[in-house]
C-alpha cells in the first residue's frame, strides 16, 4: 500500500540551528501538508502546498519556516533558526485532491528536539 | 478562531461494549468531517469521513453528523483492546486547505 515517507524519524538540534525535514508524499497525490504536534497537544496545521506554491499557511508558519518541492518526489520543511518551542512531532501529509473533502494520509513523523 | 472540541477522556469501556465519542465544532460552514485514530507515538490514521447529515457505517464504526447542532460522533461497536487509542475529530471548511483537529479523546478498552 502506498505510504508517505518521512526522514529522519528523530532529529536533535541546538537552538538557533537550521533543520530540514524531508518527506516523500504518495506518488499520485497533488496536495502536500505539514502539521505538527507538541507532546500532549493537538495536531496543528502549518502549511499546505499545491502546484509548487503555498496554498495556505497558519500563524505558526512564520518567516523562520519554508517549504520546497525540490524535485518530483520530495517535499521539505526547513526551519531556519530553531527555537526551544519548535520541539514537536512534525507530520507530513498528502492528499490526492484538494480539501475540503479529501482525506489526509500522514507519514510516520519526525520527532524534532531543540536543545 | 475555528475550534473543534472533544472530551479528553479517558473513556473506559469493557471489551465488546459500544464506545461513543463526541465532538463539536464552531465554524458553521464546515463542510467535511473526519475521525482519525492515533496510537501513542504514531501518526493519525483516517478511520471515517462524513460529509452530510445522518449516519454513515463502515464495519464496526458509525459516524453521525448533525450540522444544525454542529455535532459529530463516532460509535465503535464490539470494542476490542486494539481499539485503545486517541480518537481525533477533524473538520475542514469551504475553500480552505487546512484540517482543524480536536485535542482527541483517549479510549481504553478493557479485556
Amino acid at each position: 500500500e502506498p505510504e508517505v515517507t518521512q526522514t529522519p524519524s528523530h532529529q536533535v538540534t541546538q537552538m538557533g540551528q537550521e533543520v530540514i525535514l524531508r518527506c516523500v508524499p504518495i506518488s499520485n497525490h497533488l496536495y502536500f501538508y505539514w502539521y505538527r504536534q507538541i507532546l500532549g497537544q493537538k495536531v496543528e496545521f502549518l502549511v499546505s502546498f499545491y502546484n509548487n506554491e503555498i496554498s495556505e499557511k497558519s500563524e505558526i508558519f512564520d518567516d523562520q519556516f519554508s517549504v520546497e518541492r525540490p524535485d518530483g518526489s520530495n517535499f521539505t520543511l526547513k526551519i531556519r533558526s530553531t527555537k526551544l518551542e519548535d520541539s514537536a512531532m512534525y507530520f507530513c501529509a498528502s492528499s490526492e485532491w484538494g480539501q475540503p473533502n479529501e482525506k489526509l494520509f500522514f507519514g510516520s513523523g519526525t520527532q524534532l528536539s531543540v536543545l | 478562531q475555528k475550534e473543534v472540541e472533544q472530551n479528553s477522556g479517558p473513556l473506559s469501556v469493557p471489551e465488546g461494549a459500544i464506545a461513543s465519542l463526541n465532538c463539536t465544532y464552531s465554524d458553521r460552514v464546515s463542510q467535511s468531517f473526519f475521525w482519525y485514530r492515533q496510537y501513542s507515538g504514531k501518526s493519525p490514521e483516517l478511520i471515517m469521513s462524513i460529509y452530510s447529515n445522518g449516519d454513515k457505517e463502515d464495519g464496526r464504526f458509525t459516524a453521525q453528523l448533525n450540522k444544525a447542532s454542529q455535532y459529530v460522533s463516532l460509535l465503535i461497536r464490539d470494542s476490542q483492546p486494539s481499539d485503545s487509542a486517541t480518537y481525533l475529530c477533524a473538520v475542514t471548511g469551504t475553500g480552505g486547505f487546512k484540517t482543524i483537529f480536536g485535542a482527541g479523546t483517549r479510549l481504553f478498552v478493557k479485556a
Side-chain angles (χ1 to χ4, degrees), chain A residues 64-75:
Chain A
Q64 293 299 313
F65 291 87
S66 62
V67 289
E68 193 178 38
R69 188 156 163 82
D71 53 43
S73 59
N74 290 285
F75 179 51

Side-chain angles (χ1 to χ4, degrees), chain A residues 5-8 20-24 34 70 74-77 92 110:
Chain A
T5 306
Q6 287 186 246
T7 55
I20 297 176
L21 309 183
R22 303 180 191 280
C23 170
V24 178
W34 284 100
N74 290 285
F75 179 51
T76 62
L77 174 70
C92 175
T110 294

Side-chain angles (χ1 to χ4, degrees), chain B residues 42-107:
Chain B
K42 302 295 185 184
S43 58
E45 174 194 13
L46 180 75
I47 51 173
M48 287 290 289
S49 59
I50 186 165
Y51 309 117
S52 54
N53 281 329
D55 295 1
K56 179 181 176 184
E57 187 174 317
D58 184 0
R60 296 186 296 113
F61 300 98
T62 299
Q64 299 172 315
L65 173 61
N66 183 327
K67 288 188 177 181
S69 301
Q70 294 175 234
Y71 176 88
V72 196
S73 66
L74 179 71
L75 299 177
I76 306 174
R77 286 181 300 283
D78 188 25
S79 296
Q80 301 296 309
S82 58
D83 294 327
S84 298
T86 297
Y87 288 80
L88 309 178
C89 176
V91 173
T92 331
T94 355
F97 290 90
K98 67 180 177 185
T99 298
I100 298 173
F101 286 82
T105 299
R106 291 175 64 199
L107 172 67

Side-chain angles (χ1 to χ4, degrees), chain A residues 10-92:
Chain A
H10 293 84
Q11 174 87 52
V12 180
T13 190
Q14 295 291 325
M15 191 169 56
Q17 294 297 303
E18 175 183 287
V19 294
I20 297 176
L21 309 183
R22 303 180 191 280
C23 170
V24 178
I26 294 173
S27 61
N28 65 330
H29 285 190
L30 301 177
Y31 293 80
F32 315 116
Y33 312 84
W34 284 100
Y35 285 79
R36 78 172 187 190
Q37 188 174 32
I38 295 170
L39 186 64
Q41 297 188 24
K42 295 183 182 185
V43 175
E44 299 176 290
F45 170 80
L46 294 179
V47 66
S48 59
F49 192 87
Y50 168 70
N51 199 26
N52 283 320
E53 61 181 26
I54 290 173
S55 42
E56 190 166 358
K57 60 183 181 179
S58 72
E59 310 84 48
I60 302 168
F61 195 89
D62 61 20
D63 292 344
Q64 293 299 313
F65 291 87
S66 62
V67 289
E68 193 178 38
R69 188 156 163 82
D71 53 43
S73 59
N74 290 285
F75 179 51
T76 62
L77 174 70
K78 182 193 289 187
I79 309 174
R80 247 179 290 281
S81 178
T82 50
K83 307 183 188 71
L84 295 176
E85 54 265 36
D86 294 328
S87 295
M89 178 73 90
Y90 287 80
F91 293 112
C92 175

